[in-house]
Amino acid sequence: MHVTRDFSHYVRTAGEGVQHIDLAVEGVHCAGCMAKIERGLSAIPDVTLARVNLTDRRVALEWKAGTLDPGRFIDRLEELGYKAYPFETESAEVAEVAESRFLLRCLGVAAFATMNVMMLSIPVWSGNVSDMLPEQRDFFHWLSALIALPAAAYAGQPFFRSAWRALSAKTTNMDVPISIGVILALGMSVVETFHHAEHAYFDAAIMLLTFLLVGRFLDQNMRRRTRAVAGNLAALKAETAAKFIGPDEISQVPAAAINPGDIVLLRPGERCAVDGTVIEGRSEIDQSLITGETLYVTAEQGTPVYAGSMNISGTLRVRVSAASEATLLAEITRLLDNALQARSRYMRLADRASRLYAPVVHATAFITILGWVIAGASWHDAIVTGVAVLIITCPCALGLAIPTVQTIASGAMFKSGVLLNSGDAIERLAEADHVIFDKTGTLTLPDLEVMNAANIPADIFELAGRLALSSHHPVAAAVAQAAAAKSPVVGAVEEAGQGVRATVDGVELRLGRPSFCGAEALVGSTVVDPEASIVAFSKGSERFVLSVRQGLRPDAQAVIAALKARNIGIEILSGDREPAVKAAAHALEIPEWRAGVTPADKIARIEELKQRGAKVLMVGDGMNDAPSLAAAHVSMSPISAAHLSQATADLVFLGRPLAPVVAAIDASRKALHLMRQNLWLAIGYNVLAVPVAISGVVTPLIAAAAMSGSSILVMLNSLRARSTSREIV
């Protein structure tokens, strides 16, 4: 009977002519598994991307639209020795919980057996150098076998199953030599016990499984904690929204059914499912995810709201600007996924080393056995030495050296407000020694502020704000927001390129260009800020001038000082007017700055610095910054940046503060240091351990302890990447 498989529900469009699917893959435990899967899937014609996320054991696949059946990927993974199925967050989490419980049960069985076998082994070790009778020793050995054999059969399942799948697919992974070592040690122990020998290795085999299960359980839980960051984002997504289908009629619909331009009702206690702008109502909202501020924000007409924000008090009507996968929250989730899936230079180095492991260690163990037999040793002693070599050379530490640091550092950086968008961004950012800032939207806030609002009478300013609500100009929007205007002036008329006017109680109101409002004479005497935009307001014969500009980010001065303290060079390259750039540079005490530069000028400056050996970090947000972001050694953009800039930048930071720039540099430098430490620990361990094992002075028990100890040491060292300082001084 032919069974068809329809995976179209899980396939989405990833670009023009490109399709995408995520598959959950069982049995992915190390960098070697990742490399094998990616090579195997990339070899399929028309596949444009095959990238494994070790954190949640997911493979992302992209291919030319209409050329491949997604079922072929599952078949190919089965050929490689891995079971796969379409990835769904809920089902994947259920599977992870089940696997975690299974590992914990295996660990409990192995640990219980280890304690009991070790308790039986101690009198044997003591008796071998004293007066223990052979019958007593055999009795203890058979008791150890009675405990160790069934315990190993159960507790070794995670390794035995993985090894069997690999061998069935005519390939190997790191679980193959582990399984061979355990089975050989147990088999030899049974033979030795049957022949009344002094030594048996039940303790070594079951202790090896215990240490390996400890490492695998800790590794999985560490990944689950990091993955919980993305899970927390997913939990912020509201699946439905109350959409207006008539003037006063709403319908609860899925978020996917909402389109830009629709109006939704956001009630107290609800999470927003869309990005949009408040058109009616007043409330307080929690949007700490976007702004980084834990204080509630007042939401009223004109206030932007984002998916994932929590409405605290009042009821709001929101006009939708983006919904479903187009929201800012969805973009943040995608960036975080990229960080967890991304591959770095050091990770690729560890991958290559892990790929060489299986054939090299098998050959080493086989040559060791032959060498000892040729040297005159018994087959028993030679095989024991070969087993020790198999066990002690397990590359668990090497496989964990880079992914653990990268995964933990990615989660830690996210907590500091930074998302990675590139695999080797951590390493390149750690090397940065020169920062180039764009000014507008980067050193300054993306929103305009009315700088002299305090100098305008409150009743006049409120009236100007109400009139500003009738204009689409961003400067007018800033006036309306600063005045906390709630209701527009009735009958207002906007004149293109000039401003907006209306008549209230027989008095004409105007807001716009100084010439439109008859306020040219006030401009020179009122405006002292060279980088401000000017908007005038008139009420009859009264004239007022408002100074509107983008203010510096609140912590910009402290961040610049912190970068200088770290011996990082700083300069500003901006396309803005010279007075505005000069004022910002002076306020921030940055001596090197240039105004009126084009994208080509920025690239030329970056190339000049590269020629001098500088590693340039470019921080910019505009569409015109995309080329220079790509040209720099490493790049960052604020979350408010143009989409093209975000796609080009290696890192994206959240919120209004600039502090994440410093936090990211500090975290990346620490992570790179830990990566190098881990590699040296893993390599140094094998350089020392392999010759010792080959020499025959290491028993399988000592080999098990040494191998597990190296893995645990690497993991504990990696956990140091969790601590990232939020201080910028």
Side-chain angles (χ1 to χ4, degrees):
M1 179 177 65
H2 178 67
V3 179
T4 59
R5 297 175 298 177
D6 183 9
F7 296 113
S8 58
H9 174 72
Y10 304 101
V11 176
R12 61 180 174 84
T13 300
E16 187 174 350
V18 178
Q19 292 179 299
H20 178 103
I21 191 172
D22 290 318
L23 299 177
V25 185
E26 294 181 1
V28 181
H29 299 297
C30 64
C33 297
M34 296 173 64
K36 182 167 67 173
I37 290 173
E38 291 179 351
R39 287 198 312 273
L41 293 174
S42 297
I44 299 175
D46 296 321
V47 170
T48 58
L49 171 71
R51 186 166 59 188
V52 176
N53 183 341
L54 187 60
T55 303
D56 56 12
R57 296 180 176 89
R58 176 175 42 163
V59 58
L61 284 156
E62 293 181 2
W63 66 97
K64 296 178 182 177
T67 60
L68 293 170
D69 177 6
R72 184 173 177 184
F73 303 134
I74 293 178
D75 294 338
R76 178 59 180 146
L77 284 165
E78 189 173 346
E79 293 172 4
L80 294 171
Y82 300 94
K83 183 180 178 181
Y85 45 88
F87 179 86
E88 290 183 295
T89 303
E90 184 175 349
S91 60
E93 181 60 26
V94 169
E96 283 289 328
V97 171
E99 183 178 356
S100 181
R101 288 175 178 170
F102 176 62
L103 282 174
L104 189 58
R105 287 197 301 271
C106 291
L107 175 57
V109 169
F112 178 79
T114 297
M115 288 187 292
N116 284 276
V117 171
M118 291 300 294
M119 189 167 58
L120 293 170
S121 298
I122 291 172
V124 174
W125 299 338
S126 303
N128 284 337
V129 295
S130 60
D131 56 354
M132 176 176 276
L133 297 175
E135 292 80 5
Q136 291 175 312
R137 182 176 60 240
D138 290 347
F139 176 72
F140 282 119
H141 281 168
W142 282 118
L143 276 180
S144 297
L146 187 64
I147 297 170
L149 292 175
Y154 182 84
Q157 288 182 81
F159 311 102
F160 300 155
R161 289 175 179 176
S162 174
W164 178 252
R165 283 195 300 265
L167 292 174
S168 299
K170 299 179 180 178
T171 183
T172 60
N173 59 20
M174 72 165 59
D175 289 334
V176 171
I178 289 172
S179 301
I180 291 174
V182 170
I183 291 170
L184 276 177
L186 291 172
M188 284 184 59
S189 297
V190 171
V191 172
E192 294 289 87
T193 301
F194 188 78
H195 288 95
H196 313 290
E198 289 186 2
H199 300 287
Y201 305 101
F202 297 113
D203 47 8
I206 197 66
M207 181 177 283
L208 171 63
L209 287 177
T210 302
F211 282 142
L212 287 171
L213 286 166
V214 167
R216 189 153 292 185
F217 180 76
L218 290 175
D219 179 51
Q220 189 202 40
N221 277 269
M222 179 190 64
R223 296 185 193 284
R224 287 186 65 196
R225 284 197 301 272
T226 303
R227 193 165 56 250
V229 175
N232 290 340
L233 291 183
L236 293 176
K237 293 182 181 179
E239 300 298 332
T240 62
K243 174 183 172 181
F244 280 92
I245 57 176
D248 295 305
E249 184 180 358
I250 61 173
S251 176
Q252 202 75 19
V253 300
I258 299 175
N259 299 307
D262 290 343
I263 297 175
V264 299
L265 184 69
L266 188 59
R267 291 163 290 207
E270 290 184 339
R271 285 201 180 275
C272 189
V274 299
D275 289 356
T277 304
V278 176
I279 60 172
E280 184 180 311
R282 181 182 176 85
S283 180
E284 289 185 317
I285 57 175
D286 176 4
Q287 53 182 19
S288 55
L289 173 68
I290 304 301
T291 65
E293 298 290 340
T294 56
L295 297 177
Y296 295 153
V297 176
T298 300
E300 52 198 4
Q301 188 176 41
T303 301
V305 294
Y306 302 97
S309 300
M310 173 68 80
N311 186 21
I312 304 301
S313 52
T315 300
L316 302 173
R317 290 196 184 199
V318 178
R319 187 179 303 280
V320 178
S321 60
S324 190
E325 294 304 307
T327 63
L328 186 57
L329 181 62
E331 179 66 18
I332 291 173
T333 304
R334 283 192 290 272
L335 287 169
L336 186 59
D337 279 344
N338 287 344
L340 298 179
Q341 293 177 18
R343 312 294 299 282
S344 68
R345 295 197 306 259
Y346 282 92
M347 193 166 179
R348 290 191 291 268
L349 176 62
D351 287 351
R352 289 194 294 270
S354 295
R355 287 201 302 270
L356 293 173
Y357 161 72
V360 169
V361 72
H362 289 147
T364 302
F366 183 70
I367 293 171
T368 298
I369 293 172
L370 289 183
W372 276 101
V373 170
I374 293 171
S378 65
W379 279 100
H380 165 272
D381 292 341
I383 292 175
V384 168
T385 304
V387 169
V389 171
L390 279 174
I391 293 172
I392 207 167
T393 55
C394 176
C396 295
L398 185 60
L400 294 170
I402 305 305
T404 49
V405 175
Q406 188 178 29
T407 301
I408 294 170
S410 297
M413 290 174 75
F414 176 76
K415 291 179 182 178
S416 297
V418 180
L419 299 174
L420 300 181
N421 198 24
S422 176
D424 57 354
I426 289 177
E427 294 153 32
R428 287 187 283 121
L429 182 61
E431 298 169 348
D433 55 15
H434 194 96
V435 180
I436 294 178
F437 284 103
D438 177 47
K439 181 188 77 70
T440 308
T442 304
L443 289 173
T444 62
L445 292 165
D447 301 323
L448 293 167
E449 298 178 4
V450 180
M451 306 308 297
N452 63 333
N455 300 329
I456 309 296
D459 58 330
I460 295 295
F461 193 45
E462 181 186 3
L463 201 56
R466 292 180 57 202
L467 186 58
L469 286 173
S470 299
S471 174
H472 293 88
H473 197 281
V475 171
V479 173
Q481 184 174 357
K486 301 176 182 63
S487 57
V489 174
V490 178
V493 177
E494 185 169 19
E495 296 186 12
Q498 295 298 318
V500 60
R501 58 182 173 81
T503 301
V504 176
D505 297 332
V507 179
E508 185 180 52
L509 308 179
R510 291 196 174 202
L511 178 76
R513 290 178 177 273
S515 57
F516 178 66
C517 301
E520 301 98 321
L522 294 178
V523 173
S525 60
T526 304
V527 180
V528 295
D529 192 334
E531 57 179 314
S533 298
I534 306 304
V535 59
F537 176 71
S538 65
K539 178 185 178 184
S541 59
E542 296 181 87
R543 305 285 187 270
F544 303 91
V545 173
L546 305 177
S547 176
V548 181
R549 71 173 177 87
Q550 290 178 315
L552 291 172
R553 290 185 181 263
D555 59 346
Q557 290 182 323
V559 167
I560 297 303
L563 291 173
K564 290 179 179 178
R566 288 156 176 78
N567 296 318
I568 295 175
I570 308 168
E571 62 182 279
I572 301 175
L573 295 181
S574 176
D576 205 349
R577 298 171 295 116
E578 181 173 336
V581 180
K582 182 178 180 180
H586 177 74
L588 297 174
E589 299 181 1
I590 300 176
E592 291 190 60
W593 58 271
R594 287 174 59 188
V597 296
T598 64
D601 295 332
K602 292 184 180 181
I603 293 175
R605 175 58 176 164
I606 290 171
E607 293 299 327
E608 178 186 344
L609 290 168
K610 282 184 179 179
Q611 293 296 322
R612 299 180 186 175
K615 305 292 186 182
V616 179
L617 164 62
M618 176 70 197
V619 186
D621 79 317
M623 188 78 72
N624 63 330
D625 287 323
S628 51
L629 289 169
H633 184 67
V634 63
S635 54
M636 292 184 74
S637 286
I639 195 68
S640 58
H643 183 77
L644 178 62
S645 296
Q646 285 187 19
T648 306
D650 298 304
L651 304 98
V652 174
F653 63 91
L654 307 174
R656 293 164 62 90
L658 200 60
V661 175
V662 179
I665 291 174
D666 289 346
S668 64
R669 288 180 173 181
K670 184 172 185 177
L672 182 60
H673 178 65
L674 292 175
M675 287 180 188
R676 289 171 174 167
Q677 274 190 352
N678 280 354
L679 279 179
W680 281 114
L681 283 171
I683 293 170
Y685 159 76
N686 281 283
V687 167
L688 294 174
V690 173
V692 174
I694 293 173
S695 69
V697 300
V698 174
T699 65
L701 177 63
I702 296 174
M707 181 279 301
S708 300
S710 67
S711 299
I712 293 172
L713 181 62
V714 163
M715 289 182 61
L716 290 175
N717 192 51
S718 300
L719 290 174
R720 293 167 57 201
R722 289 184 303 180
S723 58
T724 56
S725 174
R726 291 180 177 268
E727 300 297 327
I728 57 172
V729 293

